[in-house]
Amino acid sequence: MRAGPLPMVDRPKAGTGRIRDRRITALGIGLAAAYVALAAVALFVPVSMRQGGWLPLHLALAGGAVTAIAGVMPFFSAAVASVSPGAPVIRLAGVLGVALGAAVVIAARVVSTSDPSFGAISAVGGLVYLAGIAAVAAATLLPLRQALGTRRVILAVSYGAALAAIAIGASIATLFVGGWQPVVEAWDVLKPAHAWLNVGSVSMVVAASLLHLLPTVAGARIGMERSGRLVIVALSAGPFLVATGLATRSWAVAASGALTTLSGALLLAWYARGVHARRGRWSSDPRWHGFALASLLAAVAWFVVAIAIAAWGTVEGGASAAGWRPSTFIVPLAVGWVVQALIGAWTHLVPAVGPGDLARHARQRDLLGRAAPSRWWAFQVGTGALALGLTMERPELAIAGALLLLASAGLSILLLAAALTVPERRRPEVTRIVTPDAA
C-alpha cells in the first residue's frame, strides 16, 4: 500500500446569484413598506405641510409602489420566464436609485417650495429616479432574451410599456421642477397627463403581475386567458392615449384612452373572478393564504371603482385640468388598489420566495397571517370612509377612515418587519471526504 495525500474537505460556496437576488427583492419590499408607513403618517400632518394630498400620494406611489416594483419586477419576470436573474449590481442600483431619487424629490418639496434651490435639488432627485428606472428596465428586460414562448412577449410588452410610462411621467415632472419653460407653460394639462402616466404605469405593473400571482396565491392553474391578454393591451394603451389627448388638448383621444383603461380594469376583475372560482383548498396556514388572496381580490375591486371615477371625470371634463379631480378617486386608487395589492403581494412573496429555510418560512407565514380578518375589514372600511370623507368634505369621517387605515396598514408593516427579521437557523457544514486511491 502506498500512502497518498491527506483527505481533502470540499465546502460548498456560500451565496448564489439567486440568493442575492432574493435579498435585493426583500430590500425593495422593506423600503416600500417604509414609504407606505410614511404615507400613512403624512395623512395626519398639517395641510400646508402635506400640500393637500400631494405628500401622502407621492410617498405611496412614487416612493412605495415604484420602489416595490424596482425590487419585485426583475425577480418576478425572471421567475415566471424561467431565466437567470439580472446582475445583482444592476438590481441593487435600480432599487436604491428609485428609493433615493423619490426621497430627494419629496424632501425638497416638503422643506420649501419658495426657495430657488428647490427646483435644482428636485431635478437632481428626478434624474437619480430616472437612472434607477433605467436600471430596473435593464434588470427586467435583458434576461428575457433567454426566454421562450408567449410569456416572454407578454412580460416584455407589459413591463416595458409600464416602465416607459413611468419614465415619461417622471421626465415631465423633472422638467417642470427644473423650470423648463415649455413644460411650465403647459402644466395645466401636463400635470394630469403626468399623473395618468404614473398611475397607469403602476397599475399596469400590478395588473400584469396579478395575472400570474393571483392563480399562484389562489392555488389555481396559471393559464393566460384571452381576458388576461386584453388586460395588458388595454392598460398599456389607455394611459398613453389619455396623456396624448391631454397634451394635444384633444377630447376624443383623452376620452378614448380613459374608456380603454376602464375596460382593462373591468377585464382584470373578470379574470380575478375566474381565478377565485377555481381556487384551491388549503390544508395549512389558512389565515396567511386567505389574507393574501382576499387583499389582492379587494384591490382589484377598488381599482375598478377608482378608474371608473377617473374615466368619468376625463370624459365629462374633456382634455383640460377640469377633468382631473383627484380628490374623488385618489384614495380608492392609491390606497385601495396600489397599497392593498402591495400588502397582499408581500404577504405571499416574503415566505414564498424570500431567503431562508423551511422553518423560517413557516414562522413568517404564521406572523403574516395574524389578525387577518380584522386587518382586512379595517382596511376596507377605512378606505371607504376616507374616500367618502374627502369627497363629501366630512373631516370627521375622513379622520375615522385614516385611523382605521393607519391601524390596519401599520400592523401589516410591523408584521412584515418581524417576518423579515426572523433569524435563519445555521445549516450544518457539508463536507465531502476525498480519499486517496489505493496503490
Side-chain angles (χ1 to χ4, degrees):
M1 298 286 291
R2 177 171 56 88
L6 293 174
M8 294 180 295
V9 178
D10 194 17
R11 302 182 188 275
K13 294 182 179 179
T16 63
R18 180 60 71 180
I19 292 175
R20 289 195 297 269
D21 196 47
R22 291 183 175 187
R23 287 174 177 165
I24 295 171
T25 301
L27 173 65
I29 292 174
L31 290 173
Y35 267 113
V36 171
L38 291 173
V41 173
L43 293 172
F44 298 93
V45 302
V47 175
S48 59
M49 183 178 178
R50 69 171 184 264
Q51 301 173 42
W54 186 94
L55 179 58
L57 176 63
H58 283 74
L59 283 169
L61 294 183
V66 182
T67 300
I69 288 169
V72 174
M73 179 192 282
F75 177 90
F76 195 76
S77 64
V80 171
S82 300
V83 296
S84 300
V89 65
I90 299 178
R91 294 270 284 108
L92 189 60
V95 172
L96 295 181
V98 168
L100 178 61
V104 171
V105 172
I106 293 170
R109 175 71 179 261
V110 170
V111 169
S112 175
T113 57
S114 59
D115 191 332
S117 63
F118 157 72
I121 295 173
S122 290
V124 170
L127 292 175
V128 173
Y129 190 86
L130 288 169
I133 294 297
V136 175
T140 301
L141 301 178
L142 291 180
L144 292 179
R145 295 178 299 175
Q146 311 166 33
L148 300 174
T150 57
R151 286 185 179 182
R152 169 185 177 178
V153 177
I154 291 172
L155 288 171
V157 169
S158 57
Y159 287 164
L163 291 170
I166 293 175
I168 295 172
S171 296
I172 293 173
T174 301
L175 291 172
F176 174 74
V177 298
W180 197 46
Q181 205 58 32
V183 173
V184 173
E185 292 175 353
W187 189 240
D188 63 322
V189 290
L190 289 181
K191 179 180 179 179
H194 152 78
W196 263 100
L197 285 171
N198 282 283
V199 165
S201 60
V202 171
S203 297
M204 176 71 257
V205 173
V206 176
S209 301
L210 286 183
L211 295 178
H212 299 279
L213 185 61
L214 258 179
T216 302
V217 175
R221 184 179 63 85
I222 299 177
M224 188 54 67
E225 303 167 0
R226 178 177 296 180
S227 60
R229 296 189 180 95
L230 291 175
V231 166
I232 292 172
V233 173
L235 294 184
S236 296
F240 280 106
L241 286 172
V242 176
T244 301
L246 290 169
T248 59
R249 301 180 189 273
S250 170
W251 176 85
V253 176
S256 66
L259 294 176
T260 300
T261 307
L262 176 59
S263 68
L266 291 171
L267 286 167
L268 180 62
W270 180 260
Y271 177 86
R273 181 210 61 83
V275 171
H276 183 260
R278 61 179 189 269
R279 69 191 184 280
R281 296 293 183 267
W282 304 293
S283 59
S284 62
D285 303 304
R287 293 178 303 171
W288 173 71
H289 284 289
F291 181 78
L293 180 59
S295 295
L296 296 178
L297 292 174
V300 173
W302 283 115
F303 180 45
V304 173
V305 172
I307 293 301
I309 298 172
W312 173 252
T314 300
V315 171
E316 182 188 35
S320 67
W324 181 250
R325 296 188 294 273
S327 61
T328 60
F329 64 85
I330 206 62
V331 173
L333 185 74
V335 180
W337 166 232
V338 176
V339 173
Q340 185 164 210
L342 179 60
I343 293 173
W346 82 43
T347 298
H348 175 79
L349 290 174
V350 167
V353 304
D357 53 17
L358 294 177
R360 186 183 195 223
H361 291 164
R363 175 63 175 158
Q364 289 174 330
R365 290 193 297 270
D366 176 67
L367 285 168
L368 294 171
R370 292 188 178 181
S374 300
R375 283 190 289 141
W376 189 87
W377 278 109
F379 198 96
Q380 311 317 315
V381 175
T383 301
L386 180 58
L388 289 175
L390 293 178
T391 303
M392 300 168 59
E393 298 184 352
R394 296 283 300 274
E396 69 281 1
L397 187 59
I399 291 173
L403 289 173
L404 278 173
L405 284 171
L406 184 62
S408 175
L411 181 54
S412 295
I413 291 169
L414 289 175
L415 291 172
L416 172 65
L420 290 173
T421 54
V422 169
E424 183 178 359
R425 294 185 306 178
R426 291 181 60 86
R427 297 181 181 179
E429 289 188 344
V430 179
T431 60
R432 178 167 61 90
I433 304 299
V434 181
T435 57
D437 294 332

